[in-house]
Amino acid sequence: MNTEDQDTRWMNMAVKLAEKGVGLTSPNPCVGAVIVHENQVIGSGFHEKAGLPHAERKAIADGTARGNAALFADSTLYVTLEPCSTTGKTPPCTEAILEHHFKRVVYGSQDPNPRHRGAAADILGRAGIQVTRGILEKECDHLIRGFRLNMLEGRPWVIAKSAMSLDGRISRSPERSQWLTNEKSRSFVHTLRAECDAILTGGNTMRLDNPSLTIRKPDRPVSSLKEQPWRIILTHNAASIPADSVCLTDEFRDRTLIVENVSSYLELLKNLYNERKTGTVLLEAGGCLVREFLKAGLVDEWVGFYAPIITGGGADGVTGGSFLEREAFLEQPVVSIFGSDVCIRGDVSYR
Amino acid sequence: MNTEDQDTRWMNMAVKLAEKGVGLTSPNPCVGAVIVHENQVIGSGFHEKAGLPHAERKAIADGTARGNAALFADSTLYVTLEPCSTTGKTPPCTEAILEHHFKRVVYGSQDPNPRHRGAAADILGRAGIQVTRGILEKECDHLIRGFRLNMLEGRPWVIAKSAMSLDGRISRSPERSQWLTNEKSRSFVHTLRAECDAILTGGNTMRLDNPSLTIRKPDRPVSSLKEQPWRIILTHNAASIPADSVCLTDEFRDRTLIVENVSSYLELLKNLYNERKTGTVLLEAGGCLVREFLKAGLVDEWVGFYAPIITGGGADGVTGGSFLEREAFLEQPVVSIFGSDVCIRGDVSYR
């Protein structure tokens, strides 16, 4: 394999490692790192939680623990995101890289944080370390799509999830099962919750469905470091939320917030990000609230489940009315099959 | 391979051949046949059009033309459907099989026509021909799902096609493109039309969209034997259909029918089947008509396209109202990807 193929191969491994941190690292991004010496991985790691070491330092610690520190000066460090160069809760990663004087550093994404952006390449380059940027940039950028938005707009990344019939409805006749989608889909929703720091819902959903909005039966293992997401209930009248609602009475009730009379969803989101460090929130709500978020251009990612049922009635996934002034488009949607259900997921752009 | 594996292998070939006849054979079923001698195909064929030879006779003619007739007595005839045993437009296939005294006959589906059902096995068995039934029965039954319904209920198989946004709407803001789905999806719709004998639509669609409803750019080759489908326009007032509509003025205008004030969709369908031999019709209509057909339990198959757009407004794919008394379920839906569009297709049951 040539260098480019090698770079792609090891960066791909770093991406896979970074993915293990999805949902854990807010307000930090998820990052993975691999140290390679003569085509052998001699150290690797990923960022697990804000306050814990960054991926680069985890990989260095791993390599050191495996007795490979002496090889670092002849090794390449692959990292999905440009190493940080300032002191936050932990010291800058550039320092650790200089200390071991890696031969080469390869990274995928530029850091969207203006305090770091482009700085690492300069610092490392001046010390004679070869730097290659932009390997698997698209994949690496995808990992930090929420973090980038956090940096640029000071608000959380919003994923809207809706489980619909084939005709776009979200409810069934009262005498039938409350569920449209099957257990596999619902289990994936728990995994999706584990990607997020908070779940937003409306008072109506609380009154009608009394959901738990917790991670209980994900379809993939979830890190023990993962806390249950915040549950944010938007309502015109806090007293209208039944006092015996699961979210208000279960063991995670201290992570439920009721927010009354939101006048600006953007401000709400900014406050959540500033006060609770919620880098990603999941909107699990009825069609009215989903429509409001779409109208405001505040749905950043769409996860739509389609169950193989036509109900012909009931509430809409997105409440109807006039056309959205800006239609929401899914960029390169990814289709997943859950038994007989179909899931269509993608980042949203507005046009 | 053992006999069962062999049988599956050759029946699979017969199924593939039969599929070439989909959309061509009404009011007959599509059928494929393969003659195998010592693990070699020595003849094959499929039914191409009512009035032309059945698949068995096509395979026999092919084998004969290839100089293999002398081998038939030591060969197995695979055919997707129980051979016919009565004289229709063509003589019974059982006679041709007896004439060449095949060693063995293997078929997939039982003939749903009560005049034929089970008769072939008796006739052939009495002549000392081994008969095996039910090989790839599910696949073979699927091929004749329309024909079975034609036989049992005296009406066409109805495929409802709808092209929707992710929120189940079928129209966009007037200043935007009229299309939700992409060219690949629309091209597949032309292939779908080629599977059908008639297209049903409503007056509103005629007035709003002025569609051609012809097969013009299918995504697969279409037989030269295929005629353009009948175009059936359902309206309360024939005079409301613009006289310059494409369907009323193009070169296929003699295949356009306007039907006023339908009081029973079931009767309409029965009449179409009896008078025009339309074994399969495609419902390409707005949400109101689709809802009416669903309410009547007259949608037999659903083909729903989902474009990666959320419009938030416009007409619904299935017009809303009270819940359908019997929900429509897709049995084992098949998901196809057309670029960024998703197509979900399946036979419908009502519960």
Side-chain angles (χ1 to χ4, degrees):
Chain A
M1 281 202 281
N2 61 25
T3 307
E4 201 179 312
D5 289 346
Q6 289 286 355
D7 284 354
T8 303
R9 176 185 174 192
W10 301 120
M11 187 61 82
N12 197 44
M13 184 180 284
V15 167
K16 294 277 170 286
L17 282 165
E19 284 170 353
K20 296 187 179 190
V22 171
L24 298 174
T25 61
S26 287
N28 289 347
C30 49
V31 183
V34 175
I35 301 170
V36 177
H37 180 261
E38 291 179 355
N39 283 327
Q40 297 281 331
V41 174
I42 61 167
S44 67
F46 66 97
H47 185 46
E48 282 189 290
K49 199 175 175 69
L52 294 181
H54 287 188
E56 300 91 322
R57 287 182 182 272
K58 285 286 294 284
I60 288 168
D62 177 54
T64 304
R66 287 155 69 175
N68 294 326
L71 303 174
F72 290 169
D74 192 37
S75 297
T76 299
L77 172 69
Y78 292 89
V79 56
T80 55
L81 177 65
E82 180 180 1
C84 69
S85 47
T86 58
T87 302
K89 285 188 179 174
T90 55
C93 289
T94 46
E95 271 182 18
I97 295 167
L98 291 174
E99 191 182 312
H100 292 281
H101 210 284
F102 281 87
K103 185 174 165 192
R104 184 166 169 247
V105 171
V106 179
Y107 64 80
S109 298
Q110 278 219 320
D111 193 329
N113 185 337
R115 286 162 57 220
H116 297 159
R117 188 178 202 96
D122 287 348
I123 295 169
L124 301 175
R126 278 199 302 273
I129 295 174
Q130 294 173 48
V131 177
T132 303
R133 331 175 188 195
I135 301 296
L136 289 186
E137 191 167 20
K138 206 182 106 188
E139 291 80 354
C140 292
D141 281 354
H142 183 72
L143 280 169
I144 58 159
R145 62 197 185 285
F147 176 71
R148 174 179 296 105
L149 186 82
N150 301 161
M151 288 297 116
L152 300 180
E153 302 192 12
R155 68 165 179 91
W157 179 260
V158 178
I159 303 174
K161 167 243 141 187
S162 189
M164 288 168 281
S165 64
L166 292 173
D167 51 333
R169 271 92 194 201
I170 56 173
S171 56
R172 298 176 77 180
S173 164
E175 64 267 26
R176 296 181 183 267
S177 156
Q178 75 171 111
W179 303 112
L180 276 162
T181 48
N182 61 32
E183 276 195 33
K184 284 183 185 173
S185 295
R186 276 139 52 200
S187 183
F188 176 73
V189 171
H190 288 241
T191 301
L192 187 60
R193 288 176 183 164
E195 294 182 24
C196 299
D197 304 300
I199 299 171
L200 277 177
T201 194
N204 218 25
T205 300
M206 292 299 290
R207 286 184 291 271
L208 291 174
D209 297 346
N210 188 17
S212 307
L213 303 179
T214 50
I215 306 158
R216 297 184 307 282
K217 41 171 192 180
D219 65 355
R220 271 164 277 173
V222 169
S223 163
S224 60
L225 292 173
K226 179 68 188 171
E227 287 181 280
Q228 289 292 343
W230 286 97
R231 297 171 294 193
I232 319 291
I233 303 163
L234 308 184
T235 178
H236 292 298
N237 176 10
S240 73
I241 309 299
D244 60 351
S245 298
V246 172
C247 287
L248 300 181
T249 54
D250 69 4
E251 58 180 311
F252 311 111
R253 59 188 176 276
D254 58 335
R255 289 180 67 82
T256 300
L257 301 174
I258 299 182
V259 184
E260 266 186 320
N261 289 320
V262 172
S263 58
S264 158
Y265 293 110
L266 178 59
E267 289 309 310
L268 167 82
L269 291 172
K270 285 185 171 179
N271 290 342
L272 282 173
Y273 178 66
N274 288 329
E275 292 165 17
R276 312 273 168 191
K277 303 295 170 220
T278 53
T280 301
V281 307
L282 183 63
L283 180 63
E284 290 199 60
C288 291
L289 205 47
V290 173
R291 182 182 174 88
E292 290 305 313
F293 273 72
L294 285 166
K295 268 173 69 178
L298 291 172
V299 173
D300 303 302
E301 185 170 347
W302 175 263
V303 182
F305 293 89
Y306 297 87
I309 306 177
I310 302 170
T311 67
D316 290 333
V318 180
T319 301
S322 54
F323 289 105
L324 293 174
E325 200 170 318
R326 292 181 303 155
E327 287 182 344
F329 284 79
L330 260 57
E331 302 294 337
Q332 302 182 294
V334 174
V335 178
S336 309
I337 309 286
F338 294 98
S340 289
D341 295 346
V342 178
C343 177
I344 304 177
R345 178 176 188 168
D347 295 356
V348 171
S349 68
Y350 294 87
R351 296 176 212 161
Chain B
M1 283 201 281
N2 61 25
T3 306
E4 202 179 313
D5 289 347
Q6 289 285 356
D7 285 353
T8 302
R9 175 184 173 193
W10 301 120
M11 187 61 83
N12 197 46
M13 184 180 284
V15 168
K16 293 279 170 284
L17 282 166
E19 285 171 353
K20 296 187 179 190
V22 171
L24 298 174
T25 60
S26 287
N28 289 347
C30 51
V31 183
V34 174
I35 302 171
V36 177
H37 179 261
E38 289 178 357
N39 283 327
Q40 297 281 331
V41 174
I42 61 166
S44 67
F46 66 97
H47 185 46
E48 282 189 290
K49 197 178 176 69
L52 294 182
H54 287 188
E56 300 91 322
R57 287 183 181 273
K58 285 286 294 285
I60 288 168
D62 178 54
T64 304
R66 287 156 68 176
N68 294 326
L71 302 173
F72 289 168
D74 192 38
S75 298
T76 300
L77 172 69
Y78 292 89
V79 57
T80 55
L81 176 65
E82 181 180 358
C84 70
S85 47
T86 58
T87 302
K89 283 188 180 174
T90 54
C93 289
T94 46
E95 269 180 21
I97 296 168
L98 291 174
E99 191 181 312
H100 292 281
H101 209 282
F102 279 85
K103 185 173 165 194
R104 184 166 170 247
V105 170
V106 178
Y107 65 80
S109 298
Q110 277 218 320
D111 193 328
N113 184 337
R115 286 161 56 220
H116 296 159
R117 186 179 203 95
D122 289 347
I123 293 169
L124 301 175
R126 277 200 302 272
I129 294 173
Q130 292 173 48
V131 176
T132 303
R133 330 175 189 196
I135 301 296
L136 289 187
E137 191 168 19
K138 208 182 106 188
E139 290 80 355
C140 292
D141 281 354
H142 183 70
L143 280 169
I144 58 159
R145 63 198 185 284
F147 176 71
R148 174 179 297 104
L149 187 82
N150 301 161
M151 288 296 115
L152 300 180
E153 302 192 12
R155 68 163 177 92
W157 178 262
V158 178
I159 303 174
K161 166 243 142 188
S162 190
M164 288 168 281
S165 64
L166 292 172
D167 52 331
R169 272 91 194 201
I170 55 173
S171 56
R172 299 176 78 180
S173 165
E175 64 266 28
R176 295 181 185 264
S177 156
Q178 77 172 111
W179 303 111
L180 276 162
T181 49
N182 61 32
E183 276 196 34
K184 283 182 185 174
S185 295
R186 276 141 49 202
S187 183
F188 176 73
V189 171
H190 287 242
T191 302
L192 187 60
R193 288 176 183 164
E195 293 183 22
C196 299
D197 305 300
I199 299 171
L200 277 176
T201 194
N204 219 25
T205 300
M206 293 300 290
R207 287 183 292 272
L208 291 175
D209 297 346
N210 187 20
S212 307
L213 303 178
T214 49
I215 306 158
R216 296 184 308 283
K217 41 172 192 179
D219 66 354
R220 271 165 276 172
V222 169
S223 164
S224 59
L225 292 173
K226 179 68 188 171
E227 287 182 280
Q228 289 292 343
W230 286 97
R231 296 172 295 193
I232 318 290
I233 303 162
L234 309 183
T235 179
H236 292 299
N237 176 11
S240 72
I241 309 301
D244 60 352
S245 297
V246 172
C247 287
L248 301 182
T249 54
D250 69 4
E251 60 180 308
F252 312 111
R253 59 187 177 275
D254 58 333
R255 289 179 68 81
T256 300
L257 302 174
I258 299 181
V259 184
E260 266 185 320
N261 290 319
V262 172
S263 59
S264 158
Y265 293 109
L266 178 58
E267 289 310 311
L268 166 83
L269 291 172
K270 285 186 170 178
N271 290 341
L272 281 174
Y273 178 66
N274 288 329
E275 292 166 16
R276 312 273 167 190
K277 303 294 170 219
T278 54
T280 301
V281 307
L282 183 62
L283 180 62
E284 288 199 61
C288 291
L289 205 47
V290 172
R291 183 182 173 89
E292 290 304 313
F293 272 74
L294 285 165
K295 268 174 71 179
L298 292 173
V299 173
D300 303 301
E301 185 170 350
W302 175 264
V303 182
F305 294 88
Y306 297 87
I309 306 176
I310 302 170
T311 68
D316 289 335
V318 179
T319 301
S322 55
F323 289 104
L324 293 173
E325 199 170 318
R326 293 180 301 157
E327 287 182 343
F329 284 79
L330 260 57
E331 302 293 337
Q332 302 182 296
V334 175
V335 177
S336 310
I337 310 285
F338 295 98
S340 289
D341 295 346
V342 178
C343 177
I344 304 177
R345 178 176 189 168
D347 294 357
V348 171
S349 67
Y350 294 87
R351 296 180 212 158

